């Protein structure tokens, strides 16, 4: 589900970008480490602030960044035009039908997008499908605790059914074969969850 104009305003401004750079990305790095020299997918890239962090802070070799909203993809392409095309691809796409082969990425980043997806369990399954053995799923998500608040309901548009708590999200990530264990943390009194799920390395 695309963002409405209120949420676009909240997302596409320098305060949100500063939070992204100085709070969210460092927290995910503490939980999951860097992705130096690795092949990374970012789902729901928005205007590309996270993609920049995946290159600069996490050290990825290449990023495939995608978003369901053509307007956000256009903004990301403009923002990221300094990165060479052999290291960056930015496309319109749906996290529940990722245009990539099985086991083709070392890491997947989700900066607050899965709570926009009606069938969020399908999104988690798709992310697991494209991760290689030993791959990592970095997530920052917005829980039902936040989405049930009048402010979210009044000003923004999200699916109203089938939302998740922190425990439900972690359980689904683990059910899909990514171990989270204690590598997650809540913020905002349970409104947000940050964490990393790891696929087991290949045997031998
Ligand atoms: C809250 S914004 C976050 C954007 C960006 N990751 C950030 O942190 O600034 C959620 C993003 O998810 C995108 N989105 C929603 N549903 C999606 C889907 N099914 N597949 C891919 N992207 C989706 C929206 O268009 C929007 O850009």
């Amino acid at each position: 589900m695309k963002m409405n104009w209120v949420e676009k305003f909240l997302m596409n401004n320098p305060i949100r970008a500063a939070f992204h750079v100085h709070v969210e990305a460092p927290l995910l790095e503490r939980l999951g480490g860097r992705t130096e020299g690795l092949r990374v997918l970012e789902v729901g890239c928005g205007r590309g602030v996270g993609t920049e962090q995946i290159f600069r802070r996490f050290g990825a070799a290449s990023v495939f960044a995608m978003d369901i909203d053509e307007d956000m993809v256009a903004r990301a392409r403009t923002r990221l035009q300094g990165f060479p095309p052999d290291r960056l691809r930015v496309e319109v796409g749906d996290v529940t039908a990722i245009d990539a082969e099985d086991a083709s990425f070392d890491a997947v980043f989700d900066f607050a997008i899965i709570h926009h997806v009606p069938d969020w369990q399908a999104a988690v399954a798709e992310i697991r499908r494209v991760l290689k053995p030993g791959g990592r799923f970095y997530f920052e998500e917005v829980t039902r605790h936040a989405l049930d608040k009048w402010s979210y309901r009044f000003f923004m548009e999200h699916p109203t059914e089938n939302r998740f708590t922190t425990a439900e999200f972690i359980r689904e990530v683990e059910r899909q074969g990514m171990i989270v264990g204690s590598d997650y943390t809540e913020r905002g009194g349970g409104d947000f969850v940050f964490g990393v799920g790891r696929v087991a390395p290949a045997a031998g």
Side-chain angles (χ1 to χ4, degrees):
M1 180 182 275
K2 294 178 186 176
M3 296 185 285
N4 68 6
W5 72 268
V6 176
E7 194 172 5
K8 277 195 182 175
F9 172 76
L10 293 173
M11 287 293 118
N12 299 331
N13 74 68
I15 297 170
R16 158 72 181 153
F19 196 70
H20 209 143
V21 171
H22 299 294
V23 178
E24 297 169 8
L27 181 49
L28 285 180
E29 187 191 349
R30 278 204 296 283
L31 288 164
R34 301 182 74 237
T35 56
E36 187 75 47
L38 298 180
R39 182 157 193 251
V40 175
L41 167 69
E42 185 189 4
V43 293
C45 62
R47 68 179 177 133
V49 176
T51 317
E52 277 175 346
Q53 288 299 297
I54 295 166
F55 278 123
R56 297 199 172 126
R57 171 177 284 276
F58 289 87
S62 67
V63 181
F64 172 27
M66 49 85 101
D67 197 289
I68 204 163
D69 186 337
E70 4 0 82
D71 168 45
M72 299 308 288
V73 168
R75 291 173 193 246
R77 284 189 176 139
T78 303
R79 182 179 192 94
L80 301 167
Q81 58 195 343
F83 292 96
D86 60 329
R87 295 186 64 203
L88 174 67
R89 197 177 136 208
V90 187
E91 302 288 347
V92 175
D94 185 340
V95 66
T96 64
I98 298 169
D99 180 20
E101 312 238 309
D102 294 358
S104 49
F105 293 99
D106 301 293
V108 176
F109 281 76
D110 150 29
F111 287 110
I113 93 125
I114 288 179
H115 66 285
H116 273 270
V117 181
D119 186 355
W120 65 271
Q121 293 93 337
V124 175
E126 244 330 64
I127 287 168
R128 169 66 187 88
R129 180 184 71 77
V130 300
L131 272 172
K132 295 179 187 174
R136 280 167 280 167
F137 171 36
Y138 293 76
F139 55 86
E140 171 209 340
E141 267 311 326
V142 184
T143 68
R144 194 162 75 211
H145 191 263
L147 298 175
D148 279 348
K149 290 182 173 163
W150 77 267
S151 49
Y152 275 82
R153 286 179 170 269
F154 188 76
F155 290 112
M156 291 176 259
E157 259 177 72
H158 297 98
T160 51
E161 307 289 319
N162 188 30
R163 297 304 82 200
F164 48 80
T165 61
T166 290
E168 287 163 349
F169 191 77
I170 303 294
R171 201 176 311 130
E172 183 63 17
V173 171
E174 295 211 321
R175 197 180 72 80
Q176 296 288 349
M178 297 170 277
I179 305 304
V180 180
S182 58
D183 291 334
Y184 75 95
T185 183
E186 291 184 312
R187 290 289 185 273
D191 282 3
F192 307 101
V193 55
F194 292 74
V196 177
R198 291 177 166 82
V199 180

